[in-house]
Amino acid sequence: MTFKHDRGETKLVPLVPKSNKKKLKKYTMAEVAKKCTPDDLWIIIQGRVYDITNYVDKHPGGKLVLNSMGGKDCTDVFANYHQARVYQTMLPAYCIGEIGNPSEVYPHVKDFRQIEQDLLQQGLFETDQQYYRNMYLWLASIFIASLYCSLYLSSTASHMFGAVLMGFFWQQFAGIGHDIGHSSVSHNFYTDHFNGSLYGCLFMGISTGWWKRTHNLHHVVCNSIENDPDVQHMPVLAVSPKFIEKPFWSTYHKRLMQMDSITAFFVRNQHILFFPLMAVARFNLYIQSWIMIFNKDFKMYNRGVEAAGLTFFIVWVLSLALCMNSWFESVAWVLLSHAVAGILHIQIVISHWAMETYSGSAYNNADDEWYKMQLATTMNVDCYEWMDFLHIGLQFQIEHHLFPMLPRHNLRKARKMVKQVCEKHGIPYHEKSFYEAVKCTYDLLCVTAAKARAGDYLKVPNLIADGMNAQG
């Protein structure tokens, strides 16, 4: 028996769910490893083998997540993203066998799994709803203060302060959106998803469906050059020198990313462009949200709700901006509010961009199994406890990546446990101040830009640009 969380409650359940088959066929790890294509996809969970080929397109987290884990042992990945009832009600139908000679569980993995058990027994996977009621009041006060300054007061200075407050509101609301996206508020996938689709689109202008599609994949293949959309920003930015060494195929964007002449121009100057881009990065999220709405090839919950919410967001933001004293002031209000919200984008990127990136497939052995890869690709931000509200949970990215459904208000407690295990097994635990984290990220962007300026990359022609310049 083992402890699992289900709908926000800790329950004692069987470690391995009952199979629908009386006798299970034996497989080797090598046999399962071959079943790694979308047309023939198997995974391993707690020593059981599951053929999920027919389930890939139905997966709420997106098919790219499952494609990335095909042929691998998904025990820890699965445990940290699914509640107890999924083990009991869904897995048995896909079970086709078991591993004949299962590999030994690594000592550090045993300790990390024990952390999860300790967190569950202490009730730390259960959400304190009063914490979120307080957060809702906090958000409402910021929003109302912004409206008061922007609409009721008449001076330009007051209006600009209202823009600052609106940007701060968006930054703070993102924390709630992130928690809802991980089903760590109500712990009901459909309830949290609907609330995210409704309120996230109404007040943030960002699609929860789009966010979950990219973010779920980011967690599973964190900092993978070919697979993680959160580090794939070419042609505008190259996160590290590895991204410009040679062309690579993005499995998310479905296109080749390479250093052609246009990309080279941006990457060579990315150390200059970085902070200005963060100030306007939010506009890209609006665009991505609408692309998601109109692209019917993407499986999406609450599409109509999100379309209505995104439309209303545009209406109220533009209406508010147009209430300023002049067109110039209206534009300034929009740009300033988004620049302040740009702090959020800096908070997001410093957790991963300065960390290890890799090509190919992870989760193969003791050196790149689930827990070690999350620790190698993720950085915490060290801050005083009273500043936790400002960092909206993003300061504990290590603990969040290890235990994604753990409520935000309990991440600091998990941090102590994780640091102890890392120290015990000699696993690097990356934690820096906000300034140091920003500096590390910026320094790596500078290094990559310098390599691009030196021509230290595989040059690929851009047919459109070259044609316009009569080259080639």
Side-chain angles (χ1 to χ4, degrees):
M1 302 291 283
T2 186
F3 288 100
K4 294 288 182 186
H5 58 91
D6 193 77
R7 297 291 174 91
E9 297 180 0
T10 297
K11 296 182 178 180
L12 194 61
V13 298
L15 179 63
V16 179
K18 292 182 179 180
S19 171
N20 295 339
K21 300 180 183 295
K22 292 183 179 180
K23 187 175 181 180
L24 295 175
K25 185 177 179 179
K26 305 290 183 181
Y27 293 97
T28 66
M29 295 289 289
E31 287 177 313
V32 176
K34 297 177 182 178
K35 307 294 185 176
C36 59
T37 66
D39 297 327
D40 192 11
L41 199 149
W42 296 7
I43 58 174
I44 302 167
I45 301 173
Q46 291 289 1
R48 293 281 177 87
V49 179
Y50 298 89
D51 182 354
I52 57 171
T53 307
N54 295 329
Y55 182 72
V56 171
D57 290 330
K58 305 173 187 176
H59 185 231
K63 60 184 178 182
L64 291 177
V65 172
L66 297 184
N67 291 343
S68 299
M69 298 305 300
K72 298 182 180 296
D73 189 327
C74 300
T75 299
D76 295 298
V77 184
F78 194 90
N80 285 295
Y81 284 95
H82 298 88
Q83 301 185 44
R85 56 194 169 82
V86 178
Y87 281 83
Q88 308 303 320
T89 61
M90 297 187 69
L91 281 183
Y94 299 95
C95 183
I96 60 171
E98 60 185 353
I99 298 298
N101 295 303
S103 302
E104 181 182 357
V105 179
Y106 307 121
H108 70 277
V109 171
K110 290 181 180 178
D111 285 344
F112 280 120
R113 290 179 181 177
Q114 186 57 49
I115 290 178
E116 183 192 29
Q117 291 297 293
D118 292 342
L119 291 170
L120 285 162
Q121 290 185 67
Q122 293 175 34
L124 296 180
F125 272 90
E126 299 173 13
T127 299
D128 179 1
Q129 294 301 332
Q130 184 59 47
Y131 172 86
Y132 282 101
R133 283 191 284 269
N134 293 338
M135 288 298 301
Y136 301 148
L137 289 173
W138 167 241
L139 289 171
S141 67
I142 302 172
F143 187 71
I144 292 171
S146 173
L147 295 181
Y148 177 81
C149 292
S150 301
L151 296 174
Y152 184 77
L153 301 180
S154 58
S155 70
T156 298
S158 299
H159 293 167
M160 293 305 102
F161 185 61
V164 170
L165 288 174
M166 186 59 71
F168 184 50
F169 167 77
W170 286 330
Q171 184 266 348
Q172 288 286 288
F173 198 112
I176 299 291
H178 184 253
D179 298 343
I180 287 176
H182 281 284
S183 300
S184 60
V185 177
S186 75
H187 296 277
N188 182 308
F189 172 85
Y190 297 102
T191 299
D192 277 342
H193 201 312
F194 180 82
N195 287 336
S197 294
L198 178 61
Y199 299 111
C201 291
L202 279 174
F203 291 105
M204 295 285 284
I206 299 172
S207 163
T208 294
W210 167 81
W211 182 87
K212 288 178 74 72
R213 183 172 185 267
T214 62
H215 199 70
N216 288 337
L217 185 60
H218 158 70
H219 266 265
V220 174
V221 292
C222 187
N223 278 21
S224 165
I225 292 174
E226 297 89 357
N227 304 308
D228 183 359
D230 280 14
V231 292
Q232 296 175 345
H233 300 287
M234 294 169 71
V236 180
L237 294 170
V239 172
S240 80
K242 293 181 181 179
F243 284 79
I244 66 174
E245 289 175 353
K246 60 182 179 180
F248 65 91
W249 178 260
S250 167
T251 58
Y252 178 84
H253 294 288
K254 297 292 189 294
R255 65 180 177 87
L256 193 66
M257 293 193 167
Q258 55 191 3
M259 282 291 283
D260 55 32
S261 56
I262 293 177
T263 306
F265 169 79
F266 283 108
V267 174
R268 287 168 185 162
N269 297 286
Q270 65 181 14
H271 57 302
I272 301 171
L273 298 172
F274 174 64
F275 289 108
L277 283 172
M278 293 298 101
V280 297
R282 190 175 186 84
F283 291 103
N284 177 56
L285 304 190
Y286 300 153
I287 295 170
Q288 297 304 318
S289 296
W290 280 106
I291 290 175
M292 183 77 178
I293 293 292
F294 287 115
N295 194 328
K296 298 300 177 65
D297 292 335
F298 298 150
K299 180 180 179 179
M300 185 178 184
Y301 293 89
N302 311 316
R303 191 184 298 270
V305 172
E306 293 206 0
L310 294 176
T311 301
F312 186 75
F313 173 83
I314 294 173
V315 171
W316 77 256
V317 169
L318 288 180
S319 298
L320 184 57
L322 292 173
C323 289
M324 303 300 113
N325 298 324
S326 66
W327 278 100
F328 176 81
E329 197 173 297
S330 295
V331 173
W333 190 96
V334 171
L335 293 179
L336 181 57
S337 61
H338 283 73
V340 172
I343 295 171
L344 169 66
H345 301 285
I346 294 175
Q347 289 177 301
I348 292 171
V349 303
I350 61 176
S351 298
H352 299 290
W353 284 16
M355 302 304 296
E356 179 181 331
T357 56
Y358 65 94
S359 290
S361 178
Y363 316 129
N364 301 298
N365 51 51
D367 294 327
D368 69 348
E369 56 75 41
W370 167 256
Y371 293 104
K372 279 192 175 181
M373 287 307 296
Q374 300 306 312
L375 285 157
T377 56
T378 308
M379 180 192 298
N380 272 10
V381 172
D382 189 17
C383 70
Y384 295 108
E385 188 170 353
W386 66 268
M387 292 185 67
D388 282 351
F389 83 96
L390 185 61
H391 291 278
I392 60 174
L394 298 178
Q395 72 275 35
F396 302 121
Q397 278 292 285
I398 289 175
E399 290 69 33
H400 171 63
H401 269 251
L402 296 178
F403 311 108
M405 299 182 75
L406 185 68
R408 188 209 310 186
H409 50 77
N410 291 327
L411 289 171
R412 185 172 283 275
K413 296 175 183 177
R415 170 176 170 263
K416 296 179 181 178
M417 303 180 187
V418 172
K419 291 183 77 171
Q420 289 174 354
V421 171
C422 288
E423 184 177 354
K424 175 183 176 180
H425 295 282
I427 302 173
Y429 183 95
H430 303 279
E431 187 173 61
K432 298 181 182 294
S433 69
F434 180 76
Y435 169 78
E436 291 172 330
V438 172
K439 186 177 184 302
C440 286
T441 302
Y442 183 73
D443 286 348
L444 189 56
L445 290 173
C446 289
V447 169
T448 307
K451 287 184 175 293
R453 289 194 300 273
D456 190 10
Y457 58 88
L458 180 63
K459 296 178 178 61
V460 178
N462 183 295
L463 300 180
I464 296 177
D466 292 347
M468 292 176 66
N469 290 284
Q471 296 179 9

